[in-house]
Amino acid sequence: MSGKSGLLVKGTIILSLATLFTKFLGLVFWIPFQNIAGDQAMGVYRQSFPFYSILLMLATAGVPITVSKFVSERLSVGDYAGARRIQRVSTVILSLTGMIGFCLLYFGSGFISRAMLNSAHTEASLKVLSFALLVVPMMAANRGYFQGHQEMLPTALSQVVEQFLRVTTMVAVTYWMVKWEVSTETLAAGATLGAVTGAVAGMIVMGIYIISDRRSRPIPSTAMRAAAHRDRFFPISAQILKFALPISIGSLVLPLIQLLDSVTVPQLLQWGLDLSLLESEKRFGIYGRGEPFVNLIATVSSALTLALVPAIAAHVKRKETKSVERNVSRAWMFTVVSGWPCAAGLAVLAKPITIMMYHNQSPTVVEISAHVIAILACSTIFSTMAVTNSGILQGLGHNKLPVFHLGVGAVVKVISNFLFIPILGIAGSALSMVLAYGSVCYLNLRSVIRKTGVKLPYRDLVIKPAFCVAIMTTLLVLGQYGMGRLLDPGMDRLLNAALVLVLIILGACTYAVTLLLTRTVGAEELRLLPMGDRISQWLTRIRLIPDDEKKSIAS
């Protein structure tokens, strides 16, 4: 492996691990936040954040990729001054877009909270979040500069520091504010402060790397003046924005779904079920309880996508059709085998998980929460497959198709909200999510089949995994009933935690054995895992994998 190839692979691994770690941190913080602040504060926070996300995506999404492209093009011809010029111009551009976003969110917070969200409680949170828009865009521009140098460590480290301080600030501030018995509005605003402190910390990390870059790669002032004369501010700004804007728009779809939820769900609860503002915010907070689990399950598919895109793209470029088909089939198999049991387990254990993880004011809240989580668990059957097929389509070079399909999913979500929330309450929003991801999954899967010609292996991909999941689910239901009678956990969090832990271990072992006994997974698939050869050898010794299969794979 050449030096540049090795640097690229190493950088990709570092950035992938950092992205997954920060995503994991962002998912799990909801649990302590709800336990400390309660469902209403969680609902207010969830209503406010999508507006910040939308403006942040418009201001920054696509910029790191764009800047890295422009920087790497200049470095490839030895134009180091030109690369530095791109960094400076992009920083100025994003400073301006961040300032515009700040003004829109800060001065428009009153209109957004009252006219759009119909909740004055969200105004303070929106104002606090707006300050992060002054910092994050500049950080994005400098991340792109270092990525153009194929130096992924600055981006990775700033991401980790930003997310860690964000989560730490949110939990710490929320804890002390609850002690001071502040209002729910102030409590939610205090939690959003984490976005600001995290952004500042991430920018400090980038600042350290920028100073180091200036010292290690000094560029004469004459070269910088020549670069400024050659790459004028407005023409180069237009080029950067022209390339980055489509990526930014494509990145808006998922935040847009969250935004539409924050606008429609609480108001539909008030209109359809005649709930008060306070109660609708609490129900919206309860709806958010399922998000960490659903997104955590989808993280497996996200990790798979990070590997899929470059692998499939490389095979496509070399016109290796069989290799593309093999990678697509394996991606489908790993997605189904990992996603389906998690969805089934979460649905079955929704009630004890709710009691174990969250602070519940009454048994009624437990029932509502468990019902919502169980329905949302079903959405992961489709969301995991949708994410994987999105990665496949990107690897094939069809970047716009997944964005269009997500747009269709957003429309389905909004229409379904209006249809089901007035009838089913907050469970209707969860059902709408199932239908939305189901439509995205179908559209992505159909496109992959059409573009690759790969046939869907129903027996290996659907029937066998479904049989294994059915056995595991049956055992979980019987185990939950038996242990429930034995322990009588009620609302006791420790007893429910013990029940969940035992049943997860029992279900995972049962599922793994059934996968092997039914030949859903064999030695060939196991070899793709870390230490796969050792695992397959051990399973052969205990006769869970036949000798003839192991020998055929080894040969």
Side-chain angles (χ1 to χ4, degrees), residues 47 50 55 58 77 108 158 182 255 275 307 340 378 385 404 408 438 448 451 464 490 492 531-532 544 546 550:
Q47 279 184 282
L55 290 172
L58 282 172
V77 294
S158 68
V182 300
L275 296 179
W340 286 15
C378 299
M385 200 65 169
F404 173 73
V408 173
V448 169
K451 300 298 181 184
K464 281 185 174 183
D492 188 288
M531 299 179 66
L544 282 176
K550 179 71 174 63

Side-chain angles (χ1 to χ4, degrees), residues 249-430:
I249 294 171
S251 303
L252 283 177
V253 181
L254 284 177
L256 185 61
I257 293 177
Q258 295 174 337
L259 175 65
L260 293 171
D261 261 355
S262 69
V263 172
T264 60
V265 173
Q267 296 192 60
L268 284 171
L269 288 170
Q270 294 173 55
W271 171 70
L273 301 181
D274 197 27
L275 296 179
S276 65
L277 173 62
L278 173 65
E279 189 59 33
S280 67
E281 288 173 346
K282 285 184 178 179
R283 295 289 175 92
F284 193 55
I286 291 172
Y287 174 71
R289 292 182 178 193
E291 184 176 298
F293 303 105
V294 170
N295 290 339
L296 200 57
I297 293 171
T299 300
V300 177
S301 295
S302 299
L304 184 61
T305 300
L306 289 171
L308 271 178
V309 174
I312 290 179
H315 291 309
V316 169
K317 191 170 184 178
R318 293 193 293 264
K319 298 181 180 180
E320 297 170 346
T321 307
K322 292 294 182 182
S323 296
V324 171
E325 292 178 0
R326 185 169 61 251
N327 274 327
V328 168
S329 298
R330 283 176 175 172
W332 284 347
M333 175 59 70
F334 276 116
T335 302
V336 168
V337 166
S338 63
W340 286 15
C342 293
L346 181 59
V348 172
L349 301 177
K351 185 173 181 179
I353 286 175
T354 294
I355 298 171
M356 174 184 73
M357 290 291 191
Y358 294 111
H359 172 69
N360 300 284
Q361 294 178 327
S362 67
T364 303
V365 172
V366 172
E367 293 299 330
I368 295 172
S369 177
H371 194 196
V372 168
I373 290 175
I375 297 173
L376 285 174
C378 299
S379 73
T380 61
I381 295 172
F382 304 112
S383 65
T384 51
M385 200 65 169
V387 170
T388 296
N389 283 309
S390 176
I392 293 171
L393 288 171
Q394 289 171 22
L396 293 170
H398 302 286
N399 296 337
K400 294 180 181 178
L401 279 175
V403 176
F404 173 73
H405 296 161
L406 278 172
V408 173
V411 173
V412 171
K413 181 70 170 77
V414 174
I415 294 173
S416 301
N417 277 351
F418 279 92
L419 290 175
F420 296 118
I421 291 176
I423 302 170
L424 303 175
I426 197 63
S429 182

Side-chain angles (χ1 to χ4, degrees), residues 1-13:
M1 183 180 289
S2 68
K4 287 189 176 180
S5 299
L7 185 64
L8 181 60
V9 171
K10 182 181 178 182
T12 303
I13 292 171

Side-chain angles (χ1 to χ4, degrees), residues 47-110:
Q47 279 184 282
S48 308
F49 203 79
F51 287 91
Y52 164 74
S53 298
I54 291 284
L55 290 172
L56 185 64
M57 287 294 179
L58 282 172
T60 64
V63 171
I65 295 174
T66 303
V67 173
S68 67
K69 174 183 180 295
F70 281 55
V71 167
S72 63
E73 286 175 350
R74 281 152 179 78
L75 291 176
S76 65
V77 294
D79 185 9
Y80 293 95
R84 186 74 58 79
R85 174 67 177 169
I86 293 296
Q87 180 203 20
R88 291 181 176 180
V89 171
S90 60
T91 302
V92 172
I93 294 171
L94 265 71
S95 297
L96 294 173
T97 58
M99 181 65 74
I100 293 169
F102 165 78
C103 292
L104 288 172
L105 195 57
Y106 186 87
F107 295 108
S109 58

Side-chain angles (χ1 to χ4, degrees), residues 43-53 105 117 121-123 125-126 129 188 192 262:
V44 171
Y45 183 96
R46 282 177 53 80
Q47 279 184 282
S48 308
F49 203 79
F51 287 91
Y52 164 74
S53 298
L105 195 57
L117 297 176
H121 294 152
T122 58
E123 183 174 354
S125 297
L126 291 168
L129 282 168
T192 58
S262 69

